[in-house]
Amino acid sequence: MEYNFREVEKQWQQYWAKNKTFRADGDASKPKYYVLDMFPYPSGAGLHVGHPLGYIASDIVARYKRLNGFNVLHPMGFDSFGLPAEQYAIQTGQHPKKTTEINISRYREQMDKIGFSFDWDREVRTSDPSYYKWTQWIFIQIYQSWYNLKTNKAEPVSSLLAMFETDGNGAVRAASEETKIFTAGEWKQFSESEKQSLLMNYRLAYLSEAWVNWCPALGTVLANDEVKEGVSERGGYPVERKRMPQWSMRITAYAERLLNDLEALDWSESMKESQRNWIGKSTGTSLKFEVQNPKAEIEVFTTRPDTIFGVSFLTLAPEHELVEKITTPDQKKAVDEYVAFAKNRSERERQADVKKISGQFTGAYAIHPFTGKQIPIWIGDYVLAGYGTGAVMAVPAHDSRDYAFAKHFKLPIPQVVSGGDISEESYDAKEGKLINSGFLDGLDVKEGIRRAIEEIEKKNLGKGKTNYRLRDAAFGRQRYWGEPIPVYYKDGIPYTLEEKDLPLVLPEIDSFLPTESGEPPLGRAKDWKYKGQYSYETTTMPGWAGSSWYYLRYMDAHNDQAFASPEAMDYWKNVDLYIGGSEHATGHLLYVRFWTKFLKDRGFVKVEEPAQKLINQGMIQGTSCFVYRLDAINTFLSAGLADAFLSKPKNEGITILKQLLASNNITGSEIEAFEKNPTLSKLHADVNIVTNNELDTEKFRAWREEFKNAKFILEDGKYICAGEVEKMSKSKHNVVSPDLVCEQFGADCLRLYEMFLGPLEQSKPWNTNGITGVSGFIRKLWKLYHDASFKFIVSDEPASKAELKSLHRSIKKVQDDMERYSFNTSVSNFMICVNELTELKCNKRQVLEPLAILVSPYAPHICEELWKLLGHSTSITFARFPVYEEKHTVETAFNYPVSLNGKTKFFIELDLSLSKESIEKEVLAQEQTQKILDGKAPKKIIVVPNKIVNIVI
RNA sequence: GCCUGGGUGGUGGAAUGGUAGACACGAGGGACUUAAAAUCCCUUGGCUUCACGGCUGUACGGGUUCGAGUCCCGUCCCGGGUACCA
């Protein structure tokens, strides 16, 4: 009978699950290969066809590597803590744990239908106490560490304490905000609370008063990467700046390493560039400006110290601590007003009118360190409190923002770099000679920067400095559904739990809202105290905590003595191939690198980077379908007819439509109704009732009550929909679920088709139009082994040259494609092979067996079935991936193109195993060649191995 | 602005500097069939020719090369990311 994918696929999926076929085996003699997907957050909407794209690719690689003799680790899990479950809980009262479990089982069911070769025995869930125990444990290690700039790595706090006890902190070089110098003697005199608060400045996880992104609607703090364009990434709510006590991770200590180590990674250039930009290294110098009345010093950071003589004012951020001090009495009112105005503006407002210039003069003046001139001090919200020193030296002639500010407030714009016209805009380029610049005159910019820093350092006005845009990462979240931070407070001092007290389990609470006093939801937990008396930290960890080390847990998922055993980690090392979306460039992928480096420093892991190779799969967009409705009479126009109407002037269009309606049996009264209200609306139709742009009108009528009595005006007997590419989403009715595709065409078809759609990395719209081609391929493959009455047949006769040629060509191509991760061309190559073999009516075992293996990573179900029919014991590991022999055993001779002066003239039969020279000779000896040369001697003969022979006359 | 990836038929897309458009969809034609579905075969970048064939062609303009979609220089578009970062 014809291939029945429904039955076959189900059987194999059950077989694989029952036999745990894909368990990463313990055979340490095999080379390892770790292929990982970014694990999903199990949302309530389930998977659409876009989600499995990356999983299919990784699964193909996993199966391919197994066939090549690798011990493959290919796990899957769930990033199951997160905001949506909690929001849903607030709305419905359903416990997030429950909804999360429901969502996970739905995801699991959907994934199982696609036939992935995940090792489910290693599944991890970040919300599982046995997992987050170790997330908490790692937090404690980070808390108990400091960053030693001398050894350039994290060390336990004990080593720091030892230094304090013997020498104080004078000689300590640490990533820290601590500026107070103390001696060993002083240290010993400090009280416990003083000691702890000093130490806090060194810890890699620390509690401090900090500016945070506060999202009132979500009631929580967000990290910088969770804020996009001034609103929260989840939900799109406004975010404001707020100062509050806050747990943070000192990721800035790792800025340089995170930046430098990017180079050796096999990631896309754009991905690396995103991280570089996010880290935002810039080198320049700090520089102090003196204020005389009252006495104060303003420190600025600049990358252009060469333009120091072009400074015509200073600008401070409105939040700058000196603002209040230096403002003169007569400016006080105006400054206060401005500061209040700036503070009340949300980040979004502030960013939205970047073009609008605002600022206020403080009345104070600073002294130019080289010219001694008085420089007015302004405040302006184009200066950010969080970057550099929160103050800039304004060089309007050579910085576009300073320029705009100066023009607006009519401040002087002295030019100090020649080569640009500054009458209309600033000249920002780092090219030209310095002018009007005292000791810098005549130098070019590069040289000027060097000289200026030299002079600044000599005069002790500042020093060369590197600045990073990267901020420490906010770690506490004022919400429920996350890992509790394993910290309790004694006399107001935070202490971490001991390992034996872990996990600190998330307590049950009766409501997921903040408490009346504004405390996070965990403040509601009753009797939740350490040793019955000390209160716990009530914020929880952010979403990125659990995902920053999960790749390690898969290596040894059930270990309750350690997050993973050293043996397991020694064997699996790190991820060989990581597949996931590019949207994680500045979030997850930075944090997971950070934690890996930390764990390496402290000796818990041996690798410096989590993933050597990264592929970002593109997004699959939806193709929305639109129908056009004449609202007055509930009549739908096929797209072509609607176009004809819409492209005409209104009156003319109505006339055309009236005729059209009349000729389509629409009654006169209805035509009148239409004339009164001639509106044509464009509505989304469910893509699942549209095939090749043709709407199934019966299903459409049944889809919605309001369309029950709809009338349709067709073109060529069909109702055609208009198509448009949009993001796949429920509200646009363009969601295609993988379940449906599996049901209709089979999992193998879905897998092949998703790969066939185009290069993995590219974003592309889902379009089922071409799926019949792939579906046909599967049927053809089946039919290779079956005769006209669908009886299984295979011949033990030796294969013909042509058959072997087709097979070997495909093996070579597919191998090459796999090495390049070019999955789409692989599918094409399968199709060519099957087409050729079909034409040759090949049913030779010698060809069909390797073919089944070759195709199996892509279409595992049908291949397993065929392999079984071929009489072999059934297992996905088959034998080995068929290896193509480089020797020209099959195609020793074939038509070789010969071109004359770059133009292809003819083909000749050549033996490819010959050397270049012999090929040249043979070409010349050919009758055809002599005819073309016509007695002349060729100037040059170029032989391109395997490609072409070129004769130049 | 900066960074990054692109620009190839009606469409999705193939081409380690070597026969551009593989493979698939769509379209057109044909076979089988009472008919439909399914299946199979042929044609399908453009221009030109009755035909064999010829010319032209990978956003545009130059260059390197025996040979360029591919490499180099310049220009124009499109997608993605990102920014008052001093």
Side-chain angles (χ1 to χ4, degrees):
Chain A
M1 66 168 201
E2 181 97 62
Y3 178 54
N4 183 344
F5 59 82
R6 285 189 192 90
E7 223 165 82
V8 170
E9 290 181 352
K10 206 167 135 199
Q11 268 176 26
W12 282 109
Q13 283 161 12
Q14 284 168 357
Y15 176 90
W16 294 332
K18 197 173 135 222
N19 292 282
K20 297 191 186 285
T21 309
F22 304 114
R23 211 157 47 179
D25 64 33
D27 187 353
S29 64
K30 282 190 192 170
K32 69 99 186 183
Y33 194 85
Y34 187 177
V35 47
L36 181 66
D37 296 285
M38 289 184 189
F39 63 168
Y41 173 80
S43 88
L47 296 171
H48 65 62
V49 287
H51 294 112
L53 182 70
Y55 307 156
I56 291 172
S58 69
D59 195 60
I60 288 165
V61 173
R63 287 172 183 269
Y64 172 77
K65 287 286 175 183
R66 280 193 202 100
L67 291 173
N68 276 297
F70 285 85
N71 186 16
V72 172
L73 178 54
H74 184 43
M76 179 50 76
F78 297 95
D79 190 11
S80 47
F81 271 136
L83 207 45
E86 180 160 344
Q87 296 290 99
Y88 189 73
I90 291 170
Q91 285 160 23
T92 64
Q94 281 242 48
H95 198 290
K97 194 163 146 191
K98 198 158 184 188
T99 51
T100 301
E101 262 161 30
I102 292 170
N103 291 346
I104 286 178
S105 53
R106 168 105 191 271
Y107 266 58
R108 178 67 198 272
E109 211 174 287
Q110 288 188 290
M111 286 200 238
D112 283 348
K113 279 190 191 154
I114 304 174
F116 291 124
S117 65
F118 294 128
D119 179 355
W120 283 107
D121 281 0
R122 293 171 186 257
E123 176 186 347
V124 303
R125 299 180 182 188
T126 54
S127 61
D128 194 316
S130 70
Y131 180 88
Y132 68 67
K133 168 180 178 175
W134 298 106
T135 312
Q136 292 172 333
W137 183 87
I138 293 170
F139 168 84
I140 293 171
Q141 308 312 310
I142 298 174
Y143 177 82
Q144 299 293 3
S145 301
W146 65 292
Y147 200 88
N148 189 342
L149 293 174
K150 282 183 186 161
T151 56
N152 201 22
K153 60 183 216 174
E155 294 179 9
V157 163
S158 56
S159 76
L160 184 65
L161 285 172
M163 290 165 89
F164 286 175
E165 305 247 334
T166 55
D167 303 308
N169 73 345
V172 171
R173 293 287 168 268
S176 157
E177 280 114 59
E178 188 53 52
T179 47
K180 196 169 134 194
I181 305 290
F182 51 82
T183 63
E186 284 168 327
W187 171 254
K188 285 173 191 152
Q189 298 301 311
F190 290 143
S191 69
E192 170 69 7
S193 129
E194 282 170 322
K195 280 182 179 172
Q196 286 300 335
S197 71
L198 274 169
L199 266 182
M200 199 54 104
N201 293 317
Y202 291 89
R203 296 184 188 274
L204 289 182
Y206 62 96
L207 184 62
S208 70
E209 190 81 13
W211 287 104
V212 296
N213 304 304
W214 175 255
C215 179
L218 295 173
T220 187
V221 163
L222 298 171
N224 283 353
D225 66 279
E226 292 168 320
V227 181
K228 297 267 149 87
E229 289 166 15
V231 298
S232 66
E233 194 180 20
R234 294 242 184 219
Y237 303 109
V239 170
E240 22 183 272
R241 304 285 294 169
K242 192 173 165 183
R243 209 169 157 79
M244 60 190 286
Q246 167 66 37
W247 281 99
S248 300
M249 287 271 169
R250 209 178 295 283
I251 189 173
T252 49
Y254 285 87
E256 193 64 29
R257 277 165 70 185
L258 288 169
L259 185 67
N260 288 338
D261 294 347
L262 277 174
E263 199 153 325
L265 293 179
D266 189 3
W267 293 15
S268 74
E269 202 43 49
S270 68
M271 212 60 181
K272 293 191 198 179
E273 199 57 34
S274 297
Q275 292 214 343
R276 282 187 203 114
N277 287 341
W278 189 259
I279 295 166
K281 179 178 181 173
S282 61
T283 51
T285 178
S286 66
L287 179 57
K288 281 176 219 151
F289 285 80
E290 227 172 273
V291 185
Q292 273 181 333
N293 190 21
K295 267 228 167 310
E297 245 175 19
I298 294 173
E299 191 179 352
V300 301
F301 172 76
T302 178
T303 56
R304 294 292 303 274
D306 56 310
T307 60
I308 178 72
F309 288 90
V311 176
S312 62
F313 56 100
L314 300 184
T315 317
L316 307 184
E319 297 93 339
H320 198 282
E321 54 185 12
L322 285 177
V323 168
E324 208 175 321
K325 186 175 169 191
I326 61 169
T327 300
T328 56
D330 56 322
Q331 293 294 323
K332 188 166 178 1
K333 191 165 169 263
V335 168
D336 283 351
E337 272 168 20
Y338 182 72
V339 169
F341 156 79
K343 271 192 181 154
N344 280 337
R345 290 217 298 174
S346 69
E347 283 292 290
R348 187 181 175 79
E349 285 173 314
R350 200 162 151 165
Q351 284 182 11
D353 24 82
V354 160
K355 299 263 148 53
K356 237 192 242 162
I357 290 144
S358 72
Q360 178 60 45
F361 179 45
T362 61
Y365 290 86
I367 303 202
H368 192 287
F370 291 103
T371 65
K373 276 191 200 151
Q374 295 240 312
I375 301 169
I377 303 172
W378 287 67
I379 51 176
D381 69 357
Y382 79 96
V383 178
L384 303 176
Y387 183 78
T389 60
V392 302
M393 59 174 226
V395 185
H398 306 291
D399 181 287
S400 57
R401 294 151 304 173
D402 297 342
Y403 188 88
F405 196 83
K407 275 263 156 145
H408 188 259
F409 291 107
K410 303 198 168 52
L411 296 161
I413 305 175
Q415 185 170 10
V416 291
V417 182
S418 64
D421 174 15
I422 59 158
S423 59
E424 289 302 323
E425 54 180 9
S426 61
Y427 178 64
D428 295 12
K430 289 187 176 182
E431 271 162 40
K433 295 255 184 264
L434 292 165
I435 51 172
N436 309 324
S437 290
F439 67 94
L440 295 171
D441 272 348
L443 298 175
D444 66 20
V445 168
K446 232 175 157 184
E447 181 64 9
I449 292 174
R450 210 185 54 74
R451 267 293 282 135
I453 295 179
E454 209 175 275
E455 201 62 23
I456 288 164
E457 288 185 346
K458 202 164 91 192
K459 290 200 162 180
N460 220 6
L461 295 164
K463 58 180 176 187
K465 199 177 162 185
T466 302
N467 237 330
Y468 299 92
R469 197 182 83 98
L470 184 70
R471 304 286 89 192
D472 280 346
F475 196 72
R477 296 290 183 276
Q478 288 68 13
R479 49 180 219 222
Y480 175 73
W481 191 233
E483 301 88 345
I485 295 178
V487 162
Y488 65 90
Y489 292 87
K490 189 173 158 185
D491 304 327
I493 303 168
Y495 293 95
T496 50
L497 297 186
E498 285 173 54
E499 189 177 331
K500 66 175 170 57
D501 297 319
L502 297 179
L504 173 57
V505 177
L506 192 60
E508 292 304 321
I509 55 175
D510 47 20
S511 157
F512 305 105
L513 290 169
T515 65
E516 266 107 71
S517 57
E519 256 192 284
L522 280 186
R524 293 173 182 272
K526 290 190 185 75
D527 307 319
W528 192 52
K529 294 252 193 302
Y530 180 65
K531 294 196 169 150
Q533 49 178 326
Y534 306 113
S535 35
Y536 285 117
E537 168 65 43
T538 53
T539 60
T540 54
M541 298 190 197
W544 55 265
S547 60
S548 293
W549 71 281
Y550 75 113
Y551 76 101
L552 294 166
R553 186 63 177 172
Y554 284 132
M555 296 174 185
D556 192 8
H558 304 292
N559 195 328
D560 56 3
Q561 300 301 309
F563 63 87
S565 73
E567 296 76 42
M569 289 191 285
D570 273 356
Y571 178 68
W572 293 112
K573 298 196 173 65
N574 56 5
V575 176
D576 294 285
L577 175 64
Y578 196 20
I579 298 186
S582 56
E583 67 274 18
H584 297 107
T586 53
H588 163 62
L589 285 167
L590 205 56
Y591 296 126
V592 71
R593 294 182 64 217
F594 162 41
W595 279 32
T596 302
K597 286 176 189 302
F598 167 78
L599 292 170
K600 160 100 192 302
D601 285 354
R602 291 294 316 274
F604 299 120
V605 305
K606 290 203 173 132
V607 294
E608 183 77 32
E609 287 287 340
Q612 188 54 38
K613 164 94 187 153
L614 173 74
I615 297 180
N616 305 114
Q617 87 276 22
M619 224 189 358
I620 292 196
Q621 295 129 321
T623 308
S624 304
C625 293
F626 291 95
V627 292
Y628 295 91
R629 179 176 68 183
L630 295 172
D631 296 338
I633 52 176
N634 203 19
T635 296
F636 291 79
L637 294 181
S638 186
L641 306 172
D643 268 355
F645 169 65
L646 290 168
S647 60
K648 294 269 161 39
K650 199 168 177 188
N651 285 337
E652 203 180 314
I654 290 173
T655 315
I656 294 173
L657 265 192
K658 271 165 69 184
Q659 285 167 3
L660 186 69
L661 292 174
S663 64
N664 274 280
N665 302 325
I666 304 290
T667 63
S669 60
E670 279 183 315
I671 293 178
E672 269 169 45
F674 157 68
E675 221 174 339
K676 270 187 208 142
N677 176 20
T679 54
L680 181 69
S681 351
K682 191 177 175 188
L683 307 169
H684 278 281
D686 188 339
V687 292
N688 294 299
I689 55 172
V690 177
T691 319
N692 288 344
N693 293 332
E694 187 187 347
L695 181 75
D696 183 325
T697 52
E698 279 318 302
K699 284 187 186 160
F700 184 74
R701 282 200 180 102
W703 182 42
R704 287 279 169 87
E705 185 60 28
E706 55 175 317
F707 302 143
K708 205 168 145 190
N709 299 314
K711 290 192 204 65
F712 300 92
I713 298 183
L714 313 176
E715 33 184 343
D716 305 330
K718 293 173 176 175
Y719 188 94
I720 303 295
C721 298
E724 225 172 89
V725 174
E726 297 181 293
K727 201 179 160 187
M728 209 176 261
S729 92
K730 244 179 178 171
S731 64
K732 299 190 170 92
H733 301 289
N734 60 2
V735 174
V736 182
S737 118
D739 309 7
L740 256 155
V741 182
C742 285
E743 179 51 35
Q744 210 180 341
F745 298 97
D748 286 339
C749 186
L750 173 76
R751 294 167 62 105
L752 282 162
Y753 187 59
E754 291 222 1
M755 291 300 106
F756 182 70
L757 223 39
L760 180 62
E761 276 114 321
Q762 200 169 296
S763 285
K764 56 235 157 190
W766 178 261
N767 186 340
T768 332
N769 288 350
I771 203 165
T772 51
V774 172
S775 174
F777 161 76
I778 291 172
R779 267 202 301 272
K780 274 189 198 167
L781 177 65
W782 184 255
K783 278 163 75 175
L784 271 181
Y785 298 81
H786 293 81
D787 64 15
S789 53
F790 296 113
K791 213 176 122 236
F792 178 76
I793 39 157
V794 66
S795 152
D796 284 315
E797 307 234 327
S800 72
K801 229 177 183 185
E803 289 163 349
L804 285 175
K805 185 174 164 180
S806 175
L807 175 71
H808 285 184
R809 199 194 64 99
S810 303
I811 294 173
K812 178 158 171 45
K813 289 238 176 195
V814 170
Q815 248 175 333
D816 287 351
D817 294 338
M818 291 303 300
E819 301 304 324
R820 293 186 298 132
Y821 307 101
S822 179
F823 304 98
N824 55 329
T825 49
S826 290
V827 181
S828 293
N829 285 315
F830 294 145
M831 290 186 180
I832 295 170
C833 186
V834 168
N835 282 345
E836 284 172 358
L837 294 178
T838 302
E839 195 154 321
L840 294 165
K841 297 194 169 53
C842 171
N843 64 346
K844 312 277 171 57
R845 182 182 293 276
Q846 199 189 342
V847 173
L848 298 186
E849 279 185 2
L851 179 67
I853 299 172
L854 185 69
V855 180
S856 69
Y858 288 79
H861 306 85
I862 187 172
C863 289
E864 281 264 26
E865 185 69 14
L866 291 173
W867 188 248
K868 190 177 131 192
L869 286 175
L870 284 161
H872 297 279
S873 69
T874 52
S875 157
I876 191 65
T877 43
F878 289 112
R880 296 264 303 191
F881 194 79
V883 177
Y884 168 76
E885 299 285 334
E886 220 14 91
K887 303 232 168 57
H888 301 280
T889 47
V890 178
E891 20 184 342
T892 38
F894 80 114
N895 286 335
Y896 209 75
V898 177
S899 95
L900 193 69
N901 282 347
K903 302 229 163 181
T904 308
K905 287 289 178 194
F906 54 93
F907 292 85
I908 55 178
E909 288 264 312
L910 278 179
D911 186 341
L912 287 187
S913 57
L914 295 175
S915 69
K916 263 187 171 187
E917 291 72 29
S918 336
I919 290 181
E920 279 178 30
K921 254 186 227 158
E922 211 174 304
V923 169
L924 280 176
Q926 295 269 337
E927 204 180 312
Q928 284 195 70
T929 322
Q930 288 305 324
K931 215 162 118 194
I932 289 238
L933 284 173
D934 197 21
K936 279 174 277 185
K939 229 191 230 165
K940 217 198 264 184
I941 295 182
I942 301 153
V943 176
V944 182
N946 288 316
K947 292 291 181 187
I948 198 164
V949 176
N950 242 287
I951 303 175
V952 186
I953 304 180

